[in-house]
Amino acid sequence: MTFDLALTGSDLLLLLPEILLTLWLCLMVCLDFSMRKITHQNLAYLGIGGVLATLVVLIWFDLTGITGTLFKNMFVLDRLAIFFKIFILLATALVMCSSIDSVRTFRFFKGEYYFLVLMSTLGMMFMASAGDLLSVFVTVEFSTFGFYVLVAYLRDDLRSSEAGLKFFILGVFAAGLLAYGISLVYGETGTLIFSDIAGTSGSYGMTIGFLLIFAALGFKIGAVPFHSWIPDTYQGAPTPVTAFLSIAPKGAAIAILIRMFYVALASFKPMWVLLFIAGSILSMTYGNIVAIAQKNIKRLLAYSGIAQIGNVLIGLAAGTKQGSDAILFYLLTYLFANLGAFAVVIGVSHIIKSDEIEDYSGLNRRSPFLAASMLLFLLSLAGVPPLAGFIGKLYLFVAAIDQELYTLLIFGLINIIISMYYYLIVVKKMYINEPLDPSPLTVSIPLKTVVYVGIAGTLLLGIYPKPFIDWAVSATLMFSNIAGPTAAAGSIFGG
Amino acid sequence: MTNGFPWLTLIIFLPLVGAGMIAVAKESLARQIALACSTLVLLLSLPLWALFDPSSAGMQFVERHRWIASPPIYYALGIDGISLPLVLLTTFLTPLCVLVSWTAIEKRVKEFMISLLVMETATIGVFCALDFVLFYIFWETMLIPMYLLIGVWGGPNRIYAAIKFFLYTLAGSILLLVALIVLYFQGGQTFDILALSQASYAKDLQFWLFLAMFAAFAVKVPMFPFHTWLPDAHVEAPTAGSVILASVLLKMGTYGFLRFSLPMLPDASATFTPLMMVLSVIAIIYGAYMALAQEDLKKLIAYSSVSHMGFVTLGIFAMNPQGIEGAILQMINHGITTGALFMCVGIIYERTHSRQIVDNAGLAKPMPRYATFFVIFALSSVGLPGMNSFVGEFFVLVGAFVWDKFVATLAALGVILAAAYILYMVQRVVYGMPGVEPSRKLVDVNWREFGMLVPLVGFVFWIGLYPKPVLDVMHASVDQLLARQGLVMTAEAPRAVQENVIRLSSGTRPFEPAGLESRLDQEP
């Protein structure tokens, strides 16, 4: 494979968002080192400014329809990539905004925190554009390195170090699987590019290779049975990092999954549909059932995140255009509800220094604002109308019924009821129990902003979802001709 | 005649605006704003009654706006003769609920009033929605405020009751969601309730859809054997919560049968009719039997609700004009009578802080006015002629009689049992010997309580003596519903029903309830 690195101006334009963010990163590092007086807070605002500037560029791309590919399909900038880049940048901006309070309590390396966050973001933006297996490997590792450091950021905290270690070991293990899988696929097909793999015929080596790749990406999204690192890592990591980890890498990995299975493996759909049905059922059921027993809100959100990924996999199991639309929209609803919930957790833990659900007792008396917004976010996660999560789940179920995946549907529905139960436990603590310490809680302005954005998103996507659905639909236009109902899957799971 | 004025949107969302105002206003103003807002909604809903054209079977006051392009979901509202009385019942009872909680709710008044108003929005929305997704949204939205009403302001065992209520109803609704999506694909890719009611579905598909919808509606009604959440929820809920629950929420289930199960799934409805009739009769007798044994006033009324709602489902599945009109009338009657009885219990609970019959015995002496009201509503619940429930129950029994004589006879047994448990209760509460503290001072009903009970008494006698206006409103819609049913009535159905249908399709109503006199003539 030879690369022609003579990039023209129009080629560079496709890379503009990444180039802009890279330059911004360098600027931030330089400022942090050279200007002693710059506060971490201003650095955060500067970083958010960079993210927003990149967002503007991407929105401009989306509106004017600037798309293209570079380096022989290694880097793909289509509307799907733009969607996920906007998604990741939105998450990054909200996470940086909600980090400001927590970073103040760090003892060292306050400036580097934002640098690392942005670097991971950069990696994930490349993930969204990965068009062949080599760039999948490079970009996944690129984005994960930032997280290895971020998770263990509280150096003197035993839990944080433990979380970092677990995350690192399993992450490296996943990287090994990924590399091995890629090598198998390359050995069998002689190509790494998704669109070229699509033309090859299947073989055992290729099946094993893709299973390994799926396993590695399963680690990233935290789908059962690759979820084991999630609870401890989520609990031990600084809460803003947990929030970041719970949404952005999942989005980026889902982008790769969609691209890989819809483009490279479209002709093997009857096989991978079964894989996703199994993954979805396992993730939803395991995540929801184990979440019931949790006493720590971060662990609860970790398990609920596993279950939510199970919901997302419903869309992949449908394996249709409708399914991918539903995934994109669902991820948007998840972004607002999940980051909003984490923002509340950050706000509460900042004052009461605890993440135990027990300590949320009587939150409504201490801060009606935080309690009401938490209620809203949890209900949206559970899928109660008229909030965003309901429309998201409705779309996923519509996609599943369209493909006659009734078994999957029944599991999805039962899981809604189970999830409602543990979300209600938190609601009960906040609203019905009396507080141990009735002093009011106050929230800082940046955190409040995040909560407000979360509320606005959760309500808007629920009440007026049309523009967002249209956006998701147009982002996956290229999958319009993906195979219809699968005879093989239908005969097995169609009962 | 509606001039395109968005009446329904106005009355649905005005309570929400009120809730928003309460959220930002001072705690001390919450009651006043809630009362003003709900009264305004009541006043705005009265023109619906005046402008409604009873001769038309179609939807009226229709509003239709595209909401989501694909799949096509509309913001579509409209009411017909079946939903209009229920909308008015809701708007009428909400101000009374605010009044009944005026002093009973002392803590977190703001949140309480917000929950109450959000409930009003959701329930009116359920009765007005013409789009299945919109319907489902309102249907589910109502769960959260009700959960909080029971869970925050309820009795000692409130958490258990609240979560039980929530999970029971949620489990049912989830299956409704499946039915909704399947109907979307089978009914021509639309969520329009009217269009879905016109489409025809395969017989075995109808069978499963009916079961899925049954799960949602039967839990809400509640039909035997899905009633177990009701006594718990009622006992623990605050008075206003009980009133809303009994008077409005339970009607959502029976309304669901009328709006969805019957018109959309006529074949399956016919297949399931015998089962439904049996379950209804069991509910009537079992509920009454349980009520006989209760020592807690609220629990007694809760079980009487199970029995009374059994009459409603009995009437619905009799599938003849008398049965269905009686059922709708009985829905209204049950809302008025049971709501009033729960208010009475709330009034006495505020004074004695007990709902046990033994603690509240012999109220006729210290509280004569209260005793009068209590006896009126109790007798209305029994179905004394001249009062509202008599008319409804009579129609339902006639409808059931046409369907099957034996079923009607068994159901009539429920009326006798009702007389037994209600009179036994009245005997103890009103005329019994005061037990524990004979010396305590009990204040008779005050002006606020007087004001909220008098309109209810008015309705009890109005519907009891002259039900024609209420019945007139529903004739056209019920006929249309039955015409749809008549298309698929098969030879399996009892002969009497077939005859009815034939006569109905030839244009003459088999049984014209002109007024009280003509009705009394036909009483066996």
Side-chain angles (χ1 to χ4, degrees):
Chain A
M1 206 184 308
T2 54
F3 283 128
D4 180 12
L5 278 181
L7 291 170
T8 62
S10 61
D11 287 348
L12 277 177
L13 181 67
L14 297 181
L15 281 170
L16 182 64
E18 282 79 8
I19 294 174
L20 183 68
L21 202 62
T22 314
L23 290 177
W24 209 285
L25 260 175
C26 300
L27 176 78
M28 279 178 64
V29 178
C30 295
L31 278 179
D32 187 31
F33 288 150
S34 57
M35 288 180 62
R36 302 195 66 84
K37 270 191 274 178
I38 190 161
T39 60
H40 73 93
Q41 221 163 332
N42 288 338
L43 213 57
Y45 291 131
L46 185 71
I48 293 169
V51 170
L52 292 180
T54 320
L55 257 179
V56 169
V57 174
L58 279 166
I59 291 170
W60 170 58
F61 278 12
D62 200 47
L63 292 178
T64 52
I66 295 174
T67 53
T69 58
L70 286 178
F71 313 126
K72 301 214 165 171
N73 268 335
M74 266 189 99
F75 182 90
V76 183
L77 189 79
D78 50 13
R79 299 201 64 181
L80 186 71
I82 295 177
F83 177 93
F84 275 103
K85 285 180 189 187
I86 292 177
F87 177 83
I88 291 159
L89 286 170
L90 214 57
T92 311
L94 292 174
V95 165
M96 288 179 89
C97 212
S98 50
S99 301
I100 292 172
D101 282 349
S102 310
V103 173
R104 189 174 296 131
T105 62
F106 291 173
R107 288 171 61 200
F108 319 100
F109 311 126
K110 293 180 179 176
E112 282 86 339
Y113 174 86
Y114 298 107
F115 169 77
L116 285 166
V117 168
L118 278 187
M119 215 180 74
S120 303
T121 306
L122 193 61
M124 288 185 283
M125 282 172 71
F126 278 115
M127 269 170 90
S129 276
D132 78 352
L133 287 171
L134 202 59
S135 55
V136 166
F137 183 78
V138 174
T139 56
V140 165
E141 295 317 304
F142 178 17
S143 69
T144 315
F145 275 124
F147 278 112
Y148 290 147
V149 186
L150 284 171
V151 167
Y153 218 81
L154 304 172
R155 200 182 59 182
D156 302 332
D157 181 45
L158 206 61
R159 276 188 182 285
S160 181
S161 307
E162 181 195 333
L165 201 64
K166 277 190 178 158
F167 183 42
F168 179 73
I169 291 174
L170 282 170
V172 171
F173 180 59
L177 291 182
L178 187 57
Y180 186 48
I182 291 172
S183 68
L184 276 176
V185 171
Y186 185 68
E188 288 288 339
T189 63
T191 176
L192 290 170
I193 299 164
F194 288 160
S195 45
D196 293 350
I197 295 173
T200 60
S201 57
S203 62
Y204 285 118
M206 193 171 140
T207 312
I208 296 170
F210 272 108
L211 275 177
L212 290 172
I213 297 173
F214 172 72
L217 291 170
F219 274 106
K220 295 287 163 238
I221 59 174
V224 175
F226 314 110
H227 62 282
S228 51
W229 58 277
I230 287 208
D232 289 338
T233 306
Y234 275 28
Q235 190 185 0
T239 314
V241 176
T242 310
F244 198 27
L245 205 55
S246 73
I247 186 81
K250 287 185 182 175
I254 291 285
I256 292 182
L257 280 175
I258 294 180
R259 215 182 273 286
M260 196 162 83
F261 284 94
Y262 275 45
V263 175
L265 299 175
S267 49
F268 306 108
K269 193 177 146 191
M271 278 157 74
W272 52 259
V273 158
L274 300 183
L275 190 67
F276 284 119
I277 289 175
S280 170
I281 290 178
L282 283 177
S283 302
M284 287 191 292
T285 313
Y286 177 84
N288 279 327
I289 288 179
V290 180
I292 293 175
Q294 299 310 313
K295 302 261 180 284
N296 180 297
I297 189 91
K298 280 164 85 176
R299 287 184 86 90
L300 182 121
L301 287 173
Y303 281 108
S304 112
I306 294 174
Q308 298 288 350
I309 276 301
N311 280 319
V312 172
L313 293 185
I314 293 178
L316 277 167
T320 51
K321 162 94 171 69
Q322 220 172 7
S324 59
D325 295 347
I327 292 175
L328 264 53
F329 184 78
Y330 193 78
L331 282 174
L332 274 183
T333 70
Y334 182 56
L335 168 84
F336 289 112
N338 199 43
L339 282 184
F342 270 110
V344 175
V345 172
I346 294 171
V348 172
S349 72
H350 202 67
I351 294 169
I352 64 175
K353 308 279 178 234
S354 160
D355 293 324
E356 298 303 309
I357 297 175
E358 199 56 49
D359 295 319
Y360 280 68
S361 294
L363 185 64
N364 180 42
R365 310 295 290 276
R366 305 184 67 180
S367 168
F369 168 68
L370 282 183
S373 34
M374 190 68 165
L375 172 70
L376 209 67
F377 297 137
L378 292 181
L379 292 179
S380 178
L381 286 175
V384 173
L387 302 173
F390 167 68
I391 307 276
K393 285 208 167 80
L394 181 69
Y395 271 79
L396 284 171
F397 290 152
V398 166
I401 290 191
D402 188 42
Q403 292 297 299
E404 303 186 338
L405 303 171
Y406 294 122
T407 313
L408 183 56
L409 181 83
I410 288 166
F411 272 94
L413 295 170
I414 293 172
N415 273 294
I416 291 188
I417 301 173
I418 304 176
S419 72
M420 206 62 230
Y421 178 73
Y422 62 81
Y423 291 132
L424 274 186
I425 292 178
V426 182
V427 173
K428 181 203 130 200
K429 291 267 189 257
M430 294 191 305
Y431 276 89
I432 298 173
N433 289 18
E434 291 296 322
L436 303 169
D437 162 24
S439 62
L441 292 177
T442 49
V443 199
S444 70
I445 303 281
L447 211 53
K448 233 179 202 165
T449 316
V450 177
V451 175
Y452 276 127
V453 171
I455 293 175
T458 306
L459 287 177
L460 189 66
L461 262 65
I463 293 166
Y464 189 59
K466 193 172 171 301
F468 302 95
I469 288 169
D470 290 346
W471 184 34
V473 168
S474 66
T476 56
L477 271 183
M478 56 181 164
F479 302 134
S480 302
N481 55 354
I482 188 147
T486 53
S491 65
I492 297 171
F493 283 89
Chain B
M1 82 188 157
T2 63
N3 306 325
F5 185 77
W7 286 104
L8 297 179
T9 301
L10 202 64
I11 64 167
I12 288 176
F13 289 102
L14 203 63
L16 212 57
V17 175
M21 281 166 62
I22 292 172
V24 293
K26 273 190 295 186
E27 181 104 20
S28 54
L29 282 174
R31 295 185 179 95
Q32 284 82 350
I33 298 176
L35 183 63
C37 179
S38 53
T39 314
L40 188 61
V41 173
L42 172 61
L43 293 177
L44 281 171
S45 68
L46 293 180
L48 292 182
W49 178 265
L51 295 173
F52 188 82
D53 172 16
S55 62
S56 154
M59 288 291 166
Q60 306 186 27
F61 306 98
V62 173
E63 293 169 41
R64 201 174 157 82
H65 306 285
R66 194 159 203 136
W67 183 24
I68 296 170
S70 165
I73 300 174
Y74 284 86
Y75 172 77
L77 302 172
I79 49 176
D80 64 359
I82 297 172
S83 42
L84 174 71
L86 295 168
V87 170
L88 291 174
L89 180 72
T90 313
T91 59
F92 170 68
L93 280 169
T94 310
L96 297 185
C97 285
V98 176
L99 280 176
V100 84
S101 333
W102 203 265
T103 50
I105 300 299
E106 290 160 345
K107 53 167 195 173
R108 307 194 216 175
V109 182
K110 237 169 128 163
E111 287 93 333
F112 183 87
M113 295 299 169
I114 291 175
S115 302
L116 214 53
L117 290 178
V118 173
M119 283 287 292
E120 188 177 17
T121 291
T123 42
I124 301 177
V126 162
F127 295 134
C128 294
L130 288 186
D131 185 282
F132 214 148
V133 175
L134 190 68
F135 170 87
Y136 187 78
I137 287 176
F138 284 125
W139 173 276
E140 287 282 85
T141 305
M142 142 274 139
L143 284 182
I144 304 294
M146 196 65 216
Y147 169 78
L148 292 177
L149 278 183
I150 300 174
V152 179
W153 294 276
N157 203 10
R158 56 184 190 264
I159 310 291
Y160 169 76
I163 292 190
K164 190 171 178 181
F165 159 79
F166 198 102
L167 292 181
Y168 253 76
T169 36
L170 186 77
S173 330
I174 294 287
L175 287 168
L176 181 65
L177 181 64
V178 182
L180 183 163
I181 301 176
V182 173
L183 277 170
Y184 168 76
F185 282 109
Q186 301 293 329
Q189 309 250 333
T190 175
F191 285 118
D192 184 348
I193 289 174
L194 298 179
L196 288 175
S197 309
Q198 299 301 321
S200 54
Y201 310 95
K203 261 197 170 158
D204 50 342
L205 180 74
Q206 284 196 23
F207 182 86
W208 293 109
L209 286 174
F210 189 92
L211 282 182
M213 288 188 179
F214 175 74
F217 300 143
V219 166
K220 226 26 157 242
V221 170
M223 285 178 83
F224 180 87
F226 304 104
H227 63 281
T228 56
W229 62 270
L230 187 76
D232 287 312
H234 268 317
V235 169
E236 299 304 329
T239 306
S242 290
V243 174
I244 290 271
L245 192 62
S247 306
V248 184
L249 285 203
L250 305 191
K251 309 303 173 302
M252 287 163 63
T254 42
Y255 175 76
F257 280 124
L258 285 172
R259 177 67 75 225
F260 299 97
S261 303
L262 255 47
M264 288 182 192
L265 313 169
D267 293 313
S269 302
T271 315
F272 277 101
T273 295
L275 178 67
M276 296 292 124
M277 296 301 258
V278 169
L279 287 181
S280 304
V281 171
I282 293 178
I284 291 172
I285 294 174
Y286 170 84
Y289 216 72
M290 289 300 283
L292 265 175
Q294 300 307 319
E295 289 298 321
D296 181 310
L297 278 170
K298 266 190 154 177
K299 218 164 192 168
L300 192 151
I301 302 171
Y303 275 111
S304 87
S305 278
V306 175
S307 178
H308 284 138
M309 291 309 282
F311 276 104
V312 178
T313 46
L314 189 74
I316 290 175
F317 284 97
M319 290 202 214
N320 45 42
Q322 300 91 317
I324 293 188
E325 286 181 10
I328 300 172
L329 196 62
Q330 190 60 8
M331 280 153 81
I332 308 298
N333 291 337
H334 178 258
I336 292 167
T337 306
T338 309
L341 279 175
F342 274 122
M343 284 182 193
C344 286
V345 176
I347 289 170
I348 193 67
Y349 182 75
E350 267 191 77
R351 287 164 173 75
T352 64
H353 298 288
S354 167
R355 288 183 302 256
Q356 298 301 313
I357 292 178
V358 282
D359 296 336
N360 296 315
L363 295 176
K365 270 234 166 74
M367 303 173 70
R369 272 183 288 170
Y370 175 83
T372 314
F373 281 119
F374 192 76
V375 170
I376 291 176
F377 294 128
L379 291 180
S380 153
S381 184
V382 174
L384 199 72
M387 292 183 171
N388 57 349
S389 297
F390 171 72
V391 187
E393 278 175 15
F394 180 76
F395 273 66
V396 168
L397 285 176
V398 170
F401 195 79
V402 171
W403 190 79
D404 186 273
K405 293 185 178 61
F406 184 62
V407 164
T409 316
L410 278 178
L413 213 64
V415 181
I416 301 171
L417 282 172
Y421 65 78
I422 290 283
L423 292 180
Y424 186 44
M425 173 185 81
V426 167
Q427 184 219 329
R428 286 183 290 172
V429 171
V430 179
Y431 306 110
M433 284 294 281
V436 261
E437 300 166 69
S439 60
R440 72 190 153 171
K441 288 284 281 181
L442 286 173
V443 188
D444 210 344
V445 285
N446 58 30
W447 284 109
R448 172 178 59 82
E449 289 156 348
F450 199 77
M452 65 199 194
L453 291 177
V454 164
L456 289 165
V457 173
F459 273 104
V460 164
F461 285 108
W462 176 41
I463 298 180
L465 294 173
Y466 191 60
K468 192 170 180 303
V470 188
L471 289 169
D472 280 348
V473 165
M474 48 180 112
H475 283 332
S477 301
V478 171
D479 283 353
Q480 194 196 28
L481 182 72
L482 283 167
R484 167 81 179 151
Q485 212 61 40
L487 290 177
V488 294
M489 205 62 87
T490 53
E492 311 152 26
R495 265 185 67 79
V497 182
Q498 276 190 317
E499 282 167 4
N500 254 328
V501 172
I502 294 160
R503 275 193 282 165
L504 188 74
S505 52
S506 67
T508 48
R509 295 179 59 77
F511 182 80
E512 184 62 54
L516 185 70
E517 297 77 19
S518 68
R519 195 160 33 70
L520 284 179
D521 293 342
Q522 299 185 38
E523 197 177 359

